[in-house]
Amino acid sequence: MSSPEASLRQSSSCRILAVLNQKGGVGKTTTVANLSAVLAQSAKRTLVIDLDPQAHLTIHLGADAETSPSGSYSVLTGARSIQEALIQSRPNLWLLSSGIDLVGAETELVNEVGRETILRNALEPLRERFDYVFIDCPPSLGLLTLNALAAAAEVLIPIQPHFLALQGFGRLLQTIRLVNQRINPALRVKAILMCMYDSRASLSAEVKNDIERFLESARQNRTPWSGASVVPVQIRRNIKLAEAPSYGKTIFEYEPSCHGADDYRAVAQYLFGEISPQAASASTQQDKAAACEPTDAAETAPDRM
Ligand code: ADP
Ligand code: MG
């Protein structure tokens, strides 16, 4: 394995995205694993940061979540530099791993001055070397999430469209607004991504309409979300997306021709517009597939709570 320093190409602009929703199980980790995989396959130098002590992203990418100290813990506590802590996960894809030790970081840092900006400062020397950085946030609005929001310029909010989808949404936005006002004036909500979407359930469409109406009404106000939109491509419920993590594989390694792979390619194309021609042509399959839904039992199941 080569050193990150040696094999990272210089790039002029680095997009740092926090993937955040304080609810668990909405699709954050799946989104980070698979969007970053599309970009890495498209020759974009991509870094993913696992900031969830549950280490689901680390495990999803087939890395060791038992290593102690974990990458994220080392960086937050100053035990190692980020350059030392990164591991190469795939071609063009680097990982700052997580582990259960990250649970302790919040309390260990409680008296640390500038504790919200440790990750931002750590990422500074890497900004020229990566095209994209994704931060997979824990399901909370504590210090780990504040570090993600202080470091990022964009927030991507995955939502699972069930009947409590918008509960807590206001608090999430207020947290983003506070970070924007106090520590990160560049922070913006980029988009809301509907995950585990069931196009036949009227509830899915209702939640989508509610969010679109809310965002529309926010356009006139100067808020970090006044430029946000709902991604017009949804991630459909797909059993392959649920299976891939247990093999330590992205969806493109596990089942590259399933709906889940098509949807994530299409979302990457919409959000970043830089995916490889091969990946882009596959994304058009969503339209064809949508025409002949439903396909399998998992995708016709009602939304789980
Ligand atoms: P979060 O990171 O927000 O907690 P995850 O990405 O881990 O959410 O997703 C929660 C669970 O749902 C995981 O078991 C994951 O494999 C599964 N999952 C995610 N997206 C889909 C999808 N589109 N269809 C089916 N299962 C999914
Ligand atoms: Mg997660």
Side-chain angles (χ1 to χ4, degrees):
M1 192 172 288
S2 56
S3 91
E5 286 289 359
S7 56
L8 296 178
R9 167 172 65 75
Q10 299 282 316
S11 82
S12 54
S13 68
C14 171
R15 283 178 72 174
I16 305 182
L17 294 100
V19 180
L20 171 62
N21 187 329
Q22 78 271 37
K23 282 177 199 255
V26 296
K28 294 182 290 295
T29 301
T30 308
T31 296
V32 171
N34 294 309
L35 287 184
S36 64
V38 178
L39 289 166
Q41 280 179 354
S42 306
K44 298 294 165 192
R45 298 288 167 145
T46 306
L47 167 62
V48 291
I49 298 176
D50 191 349
L51 270 197
D52 186 349
Q54 295 176 100
H56 289 167
L57 179 65
T58 303
I59 295 164
H60 195 144
L61 292 176
D64 189 358
E66 306 291 320
T67 308
S68 186
S70 68
S72 291
Y73 177 86
S74 309
V75 169
L76 290 173
T77 57
R80 281 190 288 170
S81 72
I82 196 163
Q83 289 92 337
E84 288 170 317
L86 291 185
I87 50 176
Q88 187 163 15
S89 169
R90 311 280 194 283
N92 299 319
L93 185 59
W94 298 80
L95 167 70
L96 189 66
S97 71
S98 169
I100 195 68
D101 54 3
L102 207 49
V103 172
E106 302 221 15
T107 41
E108 284 173 47
L109 294 171
V110 77
N111 293 319
E112 187 89 10
V113 176
R115 59 190 175 279
E116 296 92 358
T117 50
I118 299 172
L119 184 64
R120 175 162 83 188
N121 296 338
L123 281 171
E124 206 51 50
L126 297 182
R127 293 184 76 94
E128 296 300 309
R129 297 173 186 158
F130 285 106
D131 299 307
Y132 291 92
V133 177
F134 290 89
I135 308 172
D136 187 22
C137 294
S140 69
L141 296 173
L143 182 60
L144 296 169
T145 293
L146 292 183
N147 264 273
L149 292 177
E154 302 170 59
V155 185
L156 177 61
I157 305 177
I159 278 193
Q160 186 185 356
H162 62 56
F163 85 99
L164 289 176
L166 296 181
Q167 187 211 32
F169 196 62
R171 220 181 126 226
L172 172 58
L173 294 180
Q174 288 318 316
T175 304
I176 292 169
R177 195 211 295 264
L178 274 181
V179 173
N180 174 254
Q181 287 169 343
R182 295 187 186 167
I183 34 182
N184 185 1
L187 186 66
R188 297 284 177 274
V189 178
K190 169 78 180 165
I192 316 288
L193 176 63
M194 314 288 289
C195 294
M196 296 177 238
Y197 196 82
D198 181 350
S199 58
R200 280 151 288 115
S202 58
L203 190 60
S204 289
E206 278 169 33
V207 171
K208 184 165 172 277
N209 290 340
D210 282 353
I211 298 173
E212 275 168 348
R213 263 200 305 274
F214 168 78
L215 292 177
E216 202 44 54
S217 69
R219 298 257 181 266
Q220 301 88 321
N221 310 326
R222 281 169 55 92
T223 61
W225 51 90
S226 49
S229 58
V230 178
V231 179
V233 184
Q234 295 86 39
I235 306 297
R236 288 165 285 180
R237 185 175 288 282
N238 181 264
I239 189 71
K240 301 293 178 194
L241 283 169
E243 290 169 0
S246 54
Y247 295 91
K249 291 183 174 178
T250 71
I251 197 63
F252 310 103
E253 295 157 346
Y254 181 66
E255 191 62 64
S257 58
C258 71
H259 286 178
D262 291 343
D263 293 351
Y264 274 111
R265 280 191 200 97
V267 169
Q269 177 72 56
Y270 173 80
L271 289 176
F272 310 117
E274 300 198 76
I275 70 169
S276 68
Q278 186 195 355
S281 68
S283 71
T284 59
Q285 290 174 15
Q286 167 146 351
D287 305 330
K288 285 182 247 155
C292 52
E293 278 187 303
T295 49
D296 63 36
E299 287 169 335
T300 60
D303 278 356
R304 282 172 293 164
M305 293 301 298

